[in-house]
Amino acid sequence: MNILIINGPNLNMLGIREKGIYGSETYEDLLEYIKNSAEELGVNAEFFQSNHEGALVDAIQGAYGRIDGIVINPGAYTHTSIALLDAVKAVNIPTVEVHISNIYEREEFRHISYISQACILSIYGHGFLGYREAILALKEHLSNLS
Ligand code: CA2
């Protein structure tokens, strides 16, 4: 089972500022955590991070025919991007949305998630654990399909 983990803008800056919201661990720590989780859960994980909306769309399109499930934290594009929503709809790959923080308990502009409409599940406010939960949910979802 091949899973693509996509992280959007500024997630590469984790641990540098706003530690009260996102914690003090870095993006490299996050990758390490997801790699270990994926290994334990017996899935093959591939990683992509970009600060550019079009590059994120390209990564989703590039998953077509190759990847069984997507875990995506679109960062601030969550709240603005119809292009990312359309990309997930276009490839029709089971996708789980993850947010480290609880976007629904923060500023009102973070309460909208366009991509959630195309996702089988949205996980928010569980920190790094949310990524592990997302992989597990995809595993369950995909095993129910086969
Ligand atoms: O909670 C999440 O995972 C978010 O997707 C993180 C995004 C934010 O725009 C979303 O509303 C919620 C931000 C990514 C990290 O941004 C940083 C900001 C300052 C310092 C370090 C990272």
Side-chain angles (χ1 to χ4, degrees), residues 9-62:
N10 296 310
L11 283 148
N12 57 322
M13 299 294 277
L14 284 176
I16 295 173
R17 260 181 220 102
E18 302 219 276
K19 296 181 188 177
I21 298 174
Y22 303 116
S24 54
E25 291 185 284
T26 64
Y27 179 65
E28 284 66 38
D29 294 331
L30 175 62
L31 293 190
E32 184 74 13
Y33 175 77
I34 303 172
K35 273 179 198 161
N36 289 338
S37 299
E39 207 175 297
E40 268 175 49
L41 298 171
V43 309
N44 183 42
E46 201 177 289
F47 297 89
F48 183 77
Q49 189 277 328
S50 178
N51 296 321
H52 304 276
E53 187 175 11
L56 296 166
V57 170
D58 288 344
I60 295 167
Q61 289 185 7

Side-chain angles (χ1 to χ4, degrees), residues 129-140:
L129 177 66
Y131 289 85
R132 186 193 171 90
E133 293 172 340
I135 295 172
L136 203 54
L138 280 173
K139 226 184 131 171
E140 277 171 21

Side-chain angles (χ1 to χ4, degrees), residues 10-131:
N10 296 310
L11 283 148
N12 57 322
M13 299 294 277
L14 284 176
I16 295 173
R17 260 181 220 102
E18 302 219 276
K19 296 181 188 177
I21 298 174
Y22 303 116
S24 54
E25 291 185 284
T26 64
Y27 179 65
E28 284 66 38
D29 294 331
L30 175 62
L31 293 190
E32 184 74 13
Y33 175 77
I34 303 172
K35 273 179 198 161
N36 289 338
S37 299
E39 207 175 297
E40 268 175 49
L41 298 171
V43 309
N44 183 42
E46 201 177 289
F47 297 89
F48 183 77
Q49 189 277 328
S50 178
N51 296 321
H52 304 276
E53 187 175 11
L56 296 166
V57 170
D58 288 344
I60 295 167
Q61 289 185 7
Y64 186 69
R66 213 171 57 74
I67 292 286
D68 305 303
I70 297 175
V71 174
I72 186 164
N73 182 344
Y77 290 136
T78 305
H79 321 299
T80 60
S81 181
I82 297 167
L84 289 180
L85 166 65
D86 287 344
V88 173
K89 282 186 174 173
V91 296
N92 197 27
I93 296 171
T95 298
V96 177
E97 169 193 21
V98 173
H99 298 284
I100 295 170
S101 65
N102 184 343
I103 55 173
Y104 298 102
E105 283 184 351
R106 298 183 61 191
E107 305 96 322
E108 216 160 300
F109 60 80
R110 294 187 205 270
H111 295 184
I112 289 174
S113 167
Y114 287 102
I115 206 164
S116 66
Q117 291 179 39
C119 292
I120 61 163
L121 178 70
S122 299
I123 298 170
Y124 42 86
H126 295 182
F128 285 9
L129 177 66
Y131 289 85

